[in-house]
Amino acid sequence: MRRGNFIIEKFNGVVEFASVIAKRPVNSHFWEYRDDLSSDKSDYEFTLTSDYKEADRIMTTGYQPGLNNLKEAGAFKVHSATNATRNIPSTSVVGYAPHVPNAIAGIPKSMISSSRIQQKSKVVTILYDGGASAYMGAEKFVEAGRTLLSLIIKLEMQGYRVQLDILDAFCTSKEKAFCIVTVKNHRQPMNPLKISYMLLHPSFFRRQGFRWLETNPETTFRYIGYGEPLKHACPYGEMPDDVRRYLSDKKVLENGTFYTSLYEVLDNSVEQLAEKMGITIKK
């Protein structure tokens, strides 16, 4: 979908994303270089995978080393984020046990029953921009991913239901191409194995992300350049609040969605990130 100089394509899950970029042909602007595309030819140091096939396999099966990192971050303490239900005891004509004082007094409602009251949880959506300049070391993706995961864990432990969308942005002065993949919707509990690759591994951005750009039919990027991160291309400035204001003004960032980037996550603690969202993390 094109909106002015923005090209935005959203995917409801990783399976849909993987299927589309696997079936779609290379677009006309990359066609001449289809045998030498950066999605496949980028080196190991840059991507931590040998080629695109390896990256595709890890995305499909799960990233075990990343799972170990997420275990260290406490991922298995997360429970399903669903609406909380409480059983409220009351007296009634029928029930599961007698209410002795009422029965002695001859009160008709002399049985104890219970009613279920559902307490709705607040839903928050995080749009995580994991793109970074070429000089960003692979270990920084892991560091940022673990912090973001810890934030999600603590929010869900406080009763929030969190949706995580991952953004890969490729920007020039004339065109900004956004690929947005929902890797966890608010109804799902955290699945560390499924989320580990997208959250921690640079190949998700530097192989699958590149492949998305190479095959999107609306982009006009040339082979030599894959653009730059949104942080460096935002006309309002490079600070996170500048980017958030820019995306809001352009109606790219929806109400109720909190945008953050790899750069911002690296510079802040879990508590500081929550504060930016207007939420206080309970210790």
Side-chain angles (χ1 to χ4, degrees):
M1 178 183 69
R2 180 178 282 275
R3 185 185 301 164
N5 69 332
F6 285 91
I7 296 168
I8 305 170
E9 189 170 15
K10 296 182 178 181
F11 299 92
N12 291 323
V14 176
V15 173
E16 179 188 1
F17 170 69
S19 175
V20 168
I21 64 174
K23 295 176 181 177
R24 204 158 55 183
V26 174
N27 75 29
S28 59
H29 298 281
F30 287 92
W31 182 252
E32 182 180 353
Y33 307 95
R34 60 191 179 277
D35 296 324
D36 194 35
L37 296 172
S38 293
S39 60
D40 193 53
K41 299 301 181 181
S42 294
D43 61 28
Y44 183 88
E45 184 178 0
F46 184 60
T47 63
L48 293 187
T49 49
S50 300
D51 53 27
Y52 187 84
K53 288 183 179 179
E54 181 185 1
D56 190 51
R57 176 182 58 77
I58 298 174
M59 185 172 71
T60 302
T61 61
Y63 178 46
Q64 187 64 44
L67 175 61
N68 296 335
N69 271 287
L70 297 188
K71 284 181 180 179
E72 294 173 13
F76 292 109
K77 296 178 181 178
V78 181
H79 301 288
S80 177
T82 57
N83 287 348
T85 302
R86 294 180 60 193
N87 290 326
I88 307 298
S90 60
T91 56
S92 181
V93 176
V94 295
Y96 57 83
H99 186 278
V100 177
N102 283 10
I104 294 174
I107 299 174
K109 293 183 177 181
S110 59
M111 298 295 290
I112 299 174
S113 64
S114 65
S115 58
R116 296 169 67 85
I117 298 179
Q118 193 173 61
Q119 296 179 314
K120 291 186 177 180
S121 302
K122 184 176 180 180
V123 176
V124 295
T125 299
I126 298 174
L127 178 63
Y128 175 57
D129 179 0
S133 298
Y135 62 79
M136 181 67 72
E139 74 283 351
K140 293 298 183 181
F141 287 83
V142 177
E143 181 182 340
R146 288 185 60 177
T147 299
L148 184 62
L149 176 79
S150 296
L151 172 64
I152 295 171
I153 289 171
K154 291 187 177 182
L155 290 175
E156 294 200 333
M157 290 180 69
Q158 289 189 196
Y160 290 89
R161 301 195 301 175
V162 181
Q163 175 165 315
L164 176 61
D165 295 337
I166 292 186
L167 166 69
D168 207 359
F170 304 90
C171 304
T172 67
S173 59
K174 295 182 179 180
E175 194 168 273
K176 292 171 176 58
F178 289 0
C179 172
I180 301 174
V181 183
T182 297
V183 299
K184 177 192 177 301
N185 69 45
H186 66 274
R187 297 181 183 89
Q188 294 172 319
M190 184 71 71
N191 186 319
L193 183 59
K194 286 187 176 181
I195 204 173
S196 59
Y197 177 73
M198 286 71 71
L199 200 58
L200 301 177
H201 206 297
S203 271
F204 181 71
F205 302 97
R206 293 173 171 176
R207 287 205 192 277
Q208 276 90 4
F210 283 2
R211 180 61 55 90
W212 171 83
L213 184 70
E214 294 160 356
T215 63
N216 185 287
E218 294 192 77
T219 60
T220 61
F221 283 64
R222 296 293 181 182
Y223 168 71
I224 290 298
Y226 283 68
E228 60 183 349
L230 180 57
K231 167 187 170 75
H232 300 314
C234 177
Y236 289 14
E238 293 194 354
M239 299 301 292
D241 284 340
D242 296 329
V243 179
R244 279 189 278 270
R245 182 164 58 89
Y246 175 63
L247 294 179
S248 295
D249 288 350
K250 296 298 180 181
K251 303 188 184 305
V252 174
L253 191 63
E254 299 177 357
N255 289 336
T257 296
F258 175 72
Y259 166 88
T260 189
S261 67
L262 180 146
Y263 295 96
E264 183 176 37
V265 172
L266 287 173
D267 288 341
N268 289 272
S269 66
V270 170
E271 291 73 20
Q272 289 169 328
L273 289 170
E275 185 177 350
K276 292 175 184 293
M277 299 173 69
I279 298 172
T280 300
I281 293 291
K282 299 175 183 177
K283 296 182 178 180

